[in-house]
Amino acid sequence: MQASVLTAAQEIRLEERPVPTPAPDQVLVQVTAVGVCGSDAHYYREGRIGEYVVDGPLVLGHEAAGVIVAVGNDVSDTRVGQRVSIEPQRPDPTSAQSRAGRYNLCPAMEFFATPPIDGALAEYVLIQSTFAHDVPDDISDEAAALFEPLSVGIASAQKARISAGSSVLIAGAGPVGLVTAQVARAFGATEVVVTDIDASRRANAQRFGATRVLDPAVEDVRSLTVDAFIDASGAARAVIDGIHAVRPAGTVVLVGMGGSDYPLPISLIQNRELLLTGVFRYANTWPIARALVASGMVDLDAMVTARFGLDGVEDALNADRQPGSIKAVVIPGLSKENDA
């Protein structure tokens, strides 16, 4: 099979590799679509994200869908031929966090495209059967691949305690901010304010769930009063302004990857008794993602703005720098001359 391999910072090679054989609890998936995440681009450009350092060849890509073509001995062969969305993680089921239902926090987690675990930018991948979630025929391959970022939005909305009638402020109108806005509306939020310094991104937010958009460079975000604030930007100013906008006993959820340290308004957090928490990936979100997409309450297909083959992965990783880009998708069966 072919695999797109990061061999050094800003160096991608297309390699021939053997098709892997599934372990007893695994399925072999022929990959049909892979979404390109900001973390993939960061590994490509910088060779690291925080403490995670690329120190050897690495296959990127963790937003993936495909078709099961083979199964391990412990998996029913009735799964062969199923279209699936891949939840790209393998926790230790015996860890304390996994047994508590928080398997995303398992210290022994093996996560696609996080060094040294290879990801899905290849023609075939292996995943444990329980993390290959079947999808109905009316959900596209591309949407099925994007269940992964959608799951970040679902986890964020759950942490923010969004329910019918909620008001929420979301900082950042990139892909995660856009799916989070859609999830917030699906969960019943009646006011969804999205901030971004980029006008085109604000326009995207209006298409994908925002009831109001603001330019934080010129408008006073702190004057808002919302039940919850979700940061999908990672920008220190956005976090601090967002905290100021939350009503007493409200919730602050940090999702965006920014600086590792910056000052917070501690006295305000204390005096308003704000609940401040983070989101690290997700757990038990795929059934919700499937239901939201199948019902039409979340539109993932409309977020795809470019498509590339395995021989165009470098272009896909740089697509976020193109005007109007929201989400690039790699389709292994697509050749470079047919990139769209």
PDB file of all heavy atoms in Angstrom, residues 23-36:
ATOM      1  N   ALA A  23      -4.831  -7.548  14.315  1.00  0.00           N
ATOM      2  CA  ALA A  23      -4.761  -8.368  15.522  1.00  0.00           C
ATOM      3  C   ALA A  23      -6.160  -8.907  15.811  1.00  0.00           C
ATOM      4  O   ALA A  23      -7.148  -8.484  15.184  1.00  0.00           O
ATOM      5  CB  ALA A  23      -4.242  -7.531  16.682  1.00  0.00           C
ATOM      6  N   PRO A  24      -6.302  -9.837  16.759  1.00  0.00           N
ATOM      7  CA  PRO A  24      -7.612 -10.456  16.995  1.00  0.00           C
ATOM      8  C   PRO A  24      -8.755  -9.463  17.222  1.00  0.00           C
ATOM      9  O   PRO A  24      -9.884  -9.722  16.783  1.00  0.00           O
ATOM     10  CB  PRO A  24      -7.368 -11.317  18.235  1.00  0.00           C
ATOM     11  CG  PRO A  24      -5.930 -11.722  18.107  1.00  0.00           C
ATOM     12  CD  PRO A  24      -5.234 -10.516  17.552  1.00  0.00           C
ATOM     13  N   ASP A  25      -8.488  -8.319  17.891  1.00  0.00           N
ATOM     14  CA  ASP A  25      -9.572  -7.379  18.197  1.00  0.00           C
ATOM     15  C   ASP A  25      -9.643  -6.225  17.209  1.00  0.00           C
ATOM     16  O   ASP A  25     -10.389  -5.272  17.428  1.00  0.00           O
ATOM     17  CB  ASP A  25      -9.417  -6.829  19.607  1.00  0.00           C
ATOM     18  CG  ASP A  25      -8.156  -5.996  19.783  1.00  0.00           C
ATOM     19  OD1 ASP A  25      -7.212  -6.151  18.972  1.00  0.00           O
ATOM     20  OD2 ASP A  25      -8.095  -5.179  20.724  1.00  0.00           O
ATOM     21  N   GLN A  26      -8.903  -6.284  16.107  1.00  0.00           N
ATOM     22  CA  GLN A  26      -8.828  -5.167  15.181  1.00  0.00           C
ATOM     23  C   GLN A  26      -9.569  -5.425  13.877  1.00  0.00           C
ATOM     24  O   GLN A  26      -9.900  -6.561  13.537  1.00  0.00           O
ATOM     25  CB  GLN A  26      -7.358  -4.852  14.848  1.00  0.00           C
ATOM     26  CG  GLN A  26      -6.561  -4.273  16.003  1.00  0.00           C
ATOM     27  CD  GLN A  26      -5.133  -3.986  15.585  1.00  0.00           C
ATOM     28  OE1 GLN A  26      -4.524  -4.724  14.815  1.00  0.00           O
ATOM     29  NE2 GLN A  26      -4.578  -2.887  16.086  1.00  0.00           N
ATOM     30  N   VAL A  27      -9.791  -4.317  13.147  1.00  0.00           N
ATOM     31  CA  VAL A  27     -10.304  -4.398  11.783  1.00  0.00           C
ATOM     32  C   VAL A  27      -9.333  -3.649  10.872  1.00  0.00           C
ATOM     33  O   VAL A  27      -8.658  -2.706  11.294  1.00  0.00           O
ATOM     34  CB  VAL A  27     -11.717  -3.798  11.654  1.00  0.00           C
ATOM     35  CG1 VAL A  27     -12.715  -4.611  12.457  1.00  0.00           C
ATOM     36  CG2 VAL A  27     -11.748  -2.326  12.087  1.00  0.00           C
ATOM     37  N   LEU A  28      -9.247  -4.110   9.629  1.00  0.00           N
ATOM     38  CA  LEU A  28      -8.452  -3.425   8.616  1.00  0.00           C
ATOM     39  C   LEU A  28      -9.399  -2.551   7.799  1.00  0.00           C
ATOM     40  O   LEU A  28     -10.379  -3.045   7.243  1.00  0.00           O
ATOM     41  CB  LEU A  28      -7.752  -4.435   7.714  1.00  0.00           C
ATOM     42  CG  LEU A  28      -6.919  -3.844   6.559  1.00  0.00           C
ATOM     43  CD1 LEU A  28      -5.720  -3.078   7.092  1.00  0.00           C
ATOM     44  CD2 LEU A  28      -6.479  -4.957   5.602  1.00  0.00           C
ATOM     45  N   VAL A  29      -9.092  -1.253   7.757  1.00  0.00           N
ATOM     46  CA  VAL A  29      -9.961  -0.293   7.075  1.00  0.00           C
ATOM     47  C   VAL A  29      -9.258   0.248   5.839  1.00  0.00           C
ATOM     48  O   VAL A  29      -8.118   0.735   5.927  1.00  0.00           O
ATOM     49  CB  VAL A  29     -10.326   0.880   8.022  1.00  0.00           C
ATOM     50  CG1 VAL A  29     -11.190   1.913   7.291  1.00  0.00           C
ATOM     51  CG2 VAL A  29     -11.053   0.366   9.254  1.00  0.00           C
ATOM     52  N   GLN A  30      -9.919   0.149   4.700  1.00  0.00           N
ATOM     53  CA  GLN A  30      -9.448   0.832   3.509  1.00  0.00           C
ATOM     54  C   GLN A  30      -9.909   2.282   3.597  1.00  0.00           C
ATOM     55  O   GLN A  30     -11.106   2.565   3.641  1.00  0.00           O
ATOM     56  CB  GLN A  30     -10.002   0.177   2.250  1.00  0.00           C
ATOM     57  CG  GLN A  30      -9.477   0.811   0.971  1.00  0.00           C
ATOM     58  CD  GLN A  30      -9.939   0.073  -0.271  1.00  0.00           C
ATOM     59  OE1 GLN A  30     -10.811  -0.794  -0.212  1.00  0.00           O
ATOM     60  NE2 GLN A  30      -9.359   0.416  -1.413  1.00  0.00           N
ATOM     61  N   VAL A  31      -8.969   3.192   3.667  1.00  0.00           N
ATOM     62  CA  VAL A  31      -9.266   4.593   3.945  1.00  0.00           C
ATOM     63  C   VAL A  31      -9.884   5.263   2.717  1.00  0.00           C
ATOM     64  O   VAL A  31      -9.364   5.153   1.599  1.00  0.00           O
ATOM     65  CB  VAL A  31      -7.987   5.338   4.374  1.00  0.00           C
ATOM     66  CG1 VAL A  31      -8.289   6.816   4.634  1.00  0.00           C
ATOM     67  CG2 VAL A  31      -7.384   4.687   5.619  1.00  0.00           C
ATOM     68  N   THR A  32     -10.981   5.973   2.945  1.00  0.00           N
ATOM     69  CA  THR A  32     -11.656   6.679   1.854  1.00  0.00           C
ATOM     70  C   THR A  32     -11.552   8.192   1.970  1.00  0.00           C
ATOM     71  O   THR A  32     -11.686   8.895   0.970  1.00  0.00           O
ATOM     72  CB  THR A  32     -13.141   6.294   1.794  1.00  0.00           C
ATOM     73  OG1 THR A  32     -13.745   6.522   3.087  1.00  0.00           O
ATOM     74  CG2 THR A  32     -13.319   4.834   1.416  1.00  0.00           C
ATOM     75  N   ALA A  33     -11.321   8.710   3.172  1.00  0.00           N
ATOM     76  CA  ALA A  33     -11.209  10.159   3.358  1.00  0.00           C
ATOM     77  C   ALA A  33     -10.488  10.445   4.670  1.00  0.00           C
ATOM     78  O   ALA A  33     -10.697   9.748   5.666  1.00  0.00           O
ATOM     79  CB  ALA A  33     -12.584  10.826   3.362  1.00  0.00           C
ATOM     80  N   VAL A  34      -9.636  11.482   4.645  1.00  0.00           N
ATOM     81  CA  VAL A  34      -8.913  11.918   5.843  1.00  0.00           C
ATOM     82  C   VAL A  34      -8.955  13.435   5.908  1.00  0.00           C
ATOM     83  O   VAL A  34      -8.483  14.115   4.980  1.00  0.00           O
ATOM     84  CB  VAL A  34      -7.440  11.459   5.838  1.00  0.00           C
ATOM     85  CG1 VAL A  34      -6.760  11.826   7.156  1.00  0.00           C
ATOM     86  CG2 VAL A  34      -7.329   9.963   5.582  1.00  0.00           C
ATOM     87  N   GLY A  35      -9.507  13.973   6.966  1.00  0.00           N
ATOM     88  CA  GLY A  35      -9.487  15.415   7.160  1.00  0.00           C
ATOM     89  C   GLY A  35      -8.114  15.864   7.640  1.00  0.00           C
ATOM     90  O   GLY A  35      -7.435  15.154   8.376  1.00  0.00           O
ATOM     91  N   VAL A  36      -7.702  17.056   7.204  1.00  0.00           N
ATOM     92  CA  VAL A  36      -6.428  17.622   7.631  1.00  0.00           C
ATOM     93  C   VAL A  36      -6.685  18.558   8.811  1.00  0.00           C
ATOM     94  O   VAL A  36      -7.459  19.512   8.709  1.00  0.00           O
ATOM     95  CB  VAL A  36      -5.738  18.379   6.488  1.00  0.00           C
ATOM     96  CG1 VAL A  36      -4.457  19.056   6.981  1.00  0.00           C
ATOM     97  CG2 VAL A  36      -5.424  17.423   5.342  1.00  0.00           C
TER      98      VAL A  36
END
